[in-house]
Amino acid sequence: MDLLTLLLCFLLTPKYVAVWGQESGNVNPNSSSNGSGKDNGANGGNTSGNSNSNSLLKLRPSTPSITHFVNDSFIIFCTTITQKDIDIKWKDSSGAARENTKGRVHIEKKAGLLALVFEHIALADKGNWTCEALSKETRKKERKSFELLVNQKISFDSTEMVQSAREGRDATVYCLVKGDPSPEISWLFNGEYINTANSSKHKKLSDGLFIKNVTQQDAGEYTCRAMRITPTFSDSDQITILLRIQHKPHWFDNDTALLQYSFVGGSVNISCDAMGEPPPSFTWLHDGHGISGSNYRWFYADYGSTLQIHVRNDSHFGDYKCKVANPLGILERIIKLRKGQKPIGPSRFQLKRAFTDGLELDIRSVKFSSVPDNMQTIGYRVEYMSENEFKYCAGNWSYAKRRDFLFHRDGRRFVVTRLQTNTTYLMRAASLNLAGLSDWSSVKIFATLTNLASHTVAQNFIIIIALGLISSASYTKYL
């Protein structure tokens, strides 16, 4: 019986080599892909993915473990040594065969190979994928497997970039982080690291940063930083969240003039600035009534409002109330607009000194004893345009540049700076007092100097001597 078995093995060996070993051409007849020839399960046969001269199957790429991120695309090929009477198929980690030729994960058959195509990798795809071959003639199976490792890139899902918290209450800055493997989270406030491990103020939560008893000092930028390091890769990402602290309105500044002046025919701007979160609304009242009419204009910002009043008659004087409100509180302020006196225009307006980049002006006005002290001139306003600008704007002075000179700040020296060299300018001036602006002076024409003209006479002669145009003796005689 032993002799018969040996004979049968001898007779079967050439046929086995012909079918299973065509690729190498030099196969050991005493070896087989499975060793014992038994079915070893999903990972049976040669499951490492490494090439073997006796193996029926090859995977390309042949790496045993392959790492990809969610939404990556990937193709792996399973090739057979022979194309004759071989049935091959791909199985997922649950052992189910994949036979569909369309879809997110599908197979594509080509001559001598079977491709497994991942158009968009999902987290559910991770695990062992197996290529299985079955010889129809010998009913012999062989399998090769690879492990698909799937990582999810760090993302911050629907984290809001601007968040709010109520002053005096506990709050959470939410940071919703996704990633597989899960990243480690750290926090920064206005660029400075927050040590949540040793803080009674801050605590790190799974979905954000807890802040105890928030105040205005807690408003600012919070950076949620995600980082992970694994044996196969490392990455990080971050998002910056602006935290606003909700609070009732409070005045933005306390130096607003609560008593202001104007005159009939003049105009005045009265302002009301207040901080609040959410940004407050601004409402104006005149002597307790709503304001309307073409002589009023309103300008609004997040934290302020300006009411421009064109005074056409005495009825426009009075008390103007600014009302500031948000859901957490209300503020009110009254600005008194009283009748003043229109200032007298400048009695002198001329050029005092020219520079290459500026002009010093001589501006004067007469002080009248009949004018109350609080209506005396306190400074001047100068408007100017270059000759080219004046022509381009068709003489429209609303496009002119402006400079205000106040006696308490500038003294009696009036220098217009940052002008262009060797350029002609058109200028006009008006007097300022607490009630507003006088009529404009007549337009004057002044010009800045060239670079050479800015030198003194002595400096100019030294330059001429250096150029050899005259002798030093002639220069001495000239002096």
Side-chain angles (χ1 to χ4, degrees), residues 189-219:
F189 174 56
N190 290 337
E192 297 292 332
Y193 173 72
I194 301 175
N195 186 357
T196 55
N198 300 314
S199 174
S200 59
K201 176 79 172 178
H202 302 94
K203 182 180 178 181
K204 186 164 59 174
L205 305 177
S206 60
D207 59 349
L209 178 69
F210 171 83
I211 308 174
K212 186 177 181 179
N213 190 23
V214 296
T215 67
Q216 288 296 307
Q217 286 68 39
D218 296 316

Side-chain angles (χ1 to χ4, degrees), residues 324-374:
V324 185
N326 76 359
L328 305 180
I330 298 175
L331 285 178
E332 291 183 350
R333 171 179 282 175
I334 293 178
I335 301 172
K336 299 179 180 296
L337 181 61
R338 298 293 181 256
K339 187 174 184 178
Q341 187 170 328
K342 183 178 179 178
I344 304 298
S347 59
R348 176 185 293 184
F349 175 46
Q350 61 188 34
L351 180 66
K352 185 174 183 180
R353 187 180 180 187
F355 307 95
T356 57
D357 60 350
L359 297 169
E360 183 175 1
L361 305 173
D362 182 8
I363 312 176
R364 302 182 191 181
S365 58
V366 177
K367 183 176 180 179
F368 294 96
S369 59
S370 59
V371 177
D373 289 342
N374 65 343

Side-chain angles (χ1 to χ4, degrees), residues 69-118:
F69 282 100
V70 171
N71 290 327
D72 283 354
S73 59
F74 171 61
I75 301 177
I76 187 168
F77 299 94
C78 180
T79 63
T80 60
I81 295 173
T82 177
Q83 301 176 25
K84 183 179 180 181
D85 296 329
I86 300 296
D87 182 23
I88 59 174
K89 63 181 64 177
W90 277 103
K91 292 185 176 181
D92 59 25
S93 56
S94 67
R98 292 296 180 111
E99 297 178 343
N100 56 298
T101 58
K102 293 182 180 181
R104 186 182 63 81
V105 181
H106 64 272
I107 61 170
E108 294 182 6
K109 295 182 180 180
K110 299 183 182 295
L113 58 84
L114 184 65
L116 178 63
V117 180
F118 297 84

